[in-house]
Amino acid sequence: MTTQPSDRLFRPVSPAAQAKGERVFCAAVALLLVLSEVFSSNIQNTLPTFSHVCRIALTVTAAVLLVAKSLLLTQWQTKQQALTAAALAAFAVFTTAYGRDQWFLFAVLLGIGAKDVDLRRVLQVYLAAAAGGLLAVQLLHTATPLVPYLYYCRNWDYGYGHYNGYGARLAGVFFAWGWLRWPRLRWWDWGGLAALAAYTLLVPGCRGAGIAMVLLLVLFLLQRALPAFFESRIWHGMALAAGLLSGRFEIWHHVFWGYPLYHPEQDGIPGWYHDAMPKAVTLLGGLATDGDEHHAIDNSFLAIPMNKGVLGAVVIGVIFLLLMWRLCQNRCTGETLFLTVILVYFLMENKCFLFSADPFILLLPAALFPAKGKPLPVVCPPVTRGYI
């Protein structure tokens, strides 16, 4: 039997303190979504000083809340869990300083802070804040000069500097909605999700986000028609293999083999930048490829080794595979569907650590901090023999 270390960090956390930690975490989630949805829009160009002050305030407040929640209002069962969280946080701080990727730091802080919270309640806050911020920006973009149109690149920018920045935020709303409601989707859920997917594909023309939405709806239908298949070892093996093979073509051809990507007229980046890709892959990375704005590296499997190096790519890959393995082991069919789709989305976009595009960051505790003898901290109920 494991003995609790006699350390203040491992003292029992009361249910009241855990409830307070959940409220603190939800507040941090809302602040980060306001930061990404509203103050990462083109409002920065019309109200630069106000936006800058708000971005600093939101960033600092959210970081303080997440750190306080993790240190003071989270029950760490073992020293191994605490050391894992500390090591991951230290790596995220280094990456932020070295690779200029603040959203990876927040992804890690959110993942650590999500321990011991009700993910269903957090998703409700996420959906309200994300949808509200998105609608507010679109209203300001349409009806006022506060969120202007700035750039044209195959389509209008919808107040975010690039239409794919808009699509990423639409995808986040779609994923959170589907995740919260699966497997008890009603006709209005199907209609709303289908309408959002059609809008994303046909109006802003966000192919990556739209294709991911359509694929997820198809998987929902297939799971209903063939529930036994999605509980089988065949599906579990396919889901695990997807994590291993999804980035193979892009990384081999465009990074390690240095396959040239000549399309400067499409992404505004000269050809020499793409030719220099193999030189950008080092042990620690450092090339700035991530952020809350659109970037020309439209592929997470390229961006991660370029920004976080081989070391970071291996760490992130191992965590993802561990998460998928635990989900398969615990028959969390819903989450395996979502993570399979997010891999496809990552092939087309570089938004894997942008919280407003990827709510599945909240599953980090399921990979690294599962409580012994307790159900895996997920949203979708486990599926057994075709029944929920």
Side-chain angles (χ1 to χ4, degrees):
M1 188 174 71
T2 305
T3 311
Q4 294 281 356
S6 58
D7 192 297
R8 194 179 171 198
L9 183 65
F10 298 93
R11 72 193 187 287
V13 177
S14 67
Q18 288 193 1
K20 185 185 294 184
E22 188 172 290
R23 292 193 294 272
V24 167
F25 186 78
C26 287
V29 165
L31 291 176
L32 287 176
L33 288 169
V34 171
L35 172 64
S36 178
E37 302 282 354
V38 179
F39 290 102
S40 295
S41 72
N42 296 346
I43 198 171
Q44 297 176 89
N45 295 79
T46 52
L47 300 173
T49 303
F50 175 71
S51 298
H52 184 65
V53 170
C54 288
R55 285 178 67 87
I56 292 175
L58 291 166
T59 300
V60 172
T61 306
V64 169
L65 289 176
L66 290 171
V67 171
K69 191 273 174 189
S70 299
L71 289 177
L72 304 176
L73 302 170
T74 299
Q75 180 66 67
W76 298 102
Q77 280 83 14
T78 65
K79 186 172 288 188
Q80 181 183 358
Q81 286 186 352
L83 290 175
T84 301
L88 195 57
F91 178 68
V93 170
F94 167 78
T95 300
T96 299
Y98 192 68
R100 292 160 286 170
D101 178 14
Q102 78 167 35
W103 284 107
F104 179 66
L105 173 61
F106 276 120
V108 171
L109 292 179
L110 283 161
I112 294 171
K115 187 179 186 301
D116 300 336
V117 303
D118 180 0
L119 292 185
R120 185 165 288 277
R121 183 184 176 190
V122 174
L123 272 183
Q124 291 170 348
V125 173
Y126 181 105
L127 195 55
L134 199 59
L135 288 172
V137 168
Q138 292 312 299
L139 287 173
L140 292 173
H141 179 59
T142 304
T144 75
L146 286 176
V147 182
Y149 153 74
L150 290 181
Y151 305 108
Y152 184 89
C153 180
R154 294 193 293 270
N155 209 334
W156 309 109
D157 67 3
Y158 293 88
Y160 286 104
H162 194 282
Y163 66 98
N164 277 334
Y166 179 45
R169 289 158 176 86
L170 290 172
V173 171
F174 183 93
F175 291 144
W177 184 355
W179 194 15
L180 188 62
R181 295 291 296 160
W182 193 91
R184 297 177 177 85
L185 294 166
R186 299 295 182 258
W187 66 266
W188 55 83
D189 295 308
W190 285 101
L193 291 171
L196 185 54
Y199 170 81
T200 304
L201 275 171
L202 300 176
V203 180
C206 306
R207 291 167 294 185
I211 290 171
M213 293 177 186
V214 172
L215 177 60
L216 187 58
L217 291 175
V218 170
L219 285 178
F220 283 170
L221 291 171
L222 288 175
Q223 191 277 331
R224 286 200 168 193
L226 303 167
F229 171 78
F230 287 92
E231 301 156 39
S232 69
R233 291 183 179 180
I234 297 174
W235 168 250
H236 294 164
M238 290 170 62
L240 286 166
L244 286 169
L245 301 177
S246 50
R248 172 186 173 275
F249 176 82
E250 292 291 341
I251 292 175
W252 279 22
H253 286 71
H254 298 325
V255 177
F256 297 114
W257 288 0
Y259 186 82
L261 294 175
Y262 291 111
H263 47 81
E265 54 289 324
Q266 289 184 12
D267 64 14
I269 302 298
W272 63 263
Y273 183 86
H274 298 293
D275 287 339
M277 280 183 182
K279 303 180 184 65
V281 180
T282 61
L283 180 65
L284 299 177
L287 183 65
T289 59
D290 302 304
D292 55 9
E293 298 174 357
H294 176 72
H295 197 280
I297 307 299
D298 282 341
N299 187 300
S300 296
F301 302 101
L302 283 175
I304 289 174
M306 293 168 72
N307 181 259
K308 293 161 186 65
V310 175
L311 176 63
V314 169
V315 169
I316 293 164
V318 168
I319 291 173
F320 185 89
L321 287 173
L322 179 61
L323 172 60
M324 188 69 90
W325 178 75
R326 291 194 192 280
L327 294 173
C328 293
Q329 189 182 42
N330 288 269
R331 296 184 177 274
C332 301
T333 301
E335 276 78 12
T336 64
L337 298 178
F338 286 105
L339 290 190
T340 301
V341 168
I342 206 74
L343 283 176
V344 175
Y345 180 53
F346 291 165
L347 275 169
M348 298 177 279
E349 293 294 341
N350 178 22
K351 300 288 187 293
C352 48
F353 303 118
L354 179 61
F355 186 48
S356 55
D358 182 9
F360 308 112
I361 289 164
L362 298 171
L363 284 172
L364 184 65
L368 299 181
F369 315 122
K372 195 171 183 180
K374 293 185 179 180
L376 210 61
V378 295
V379 175
C380 304
V383 179
T384 306
R385 297 181 183 177
Y387 299 97
I388 304 301

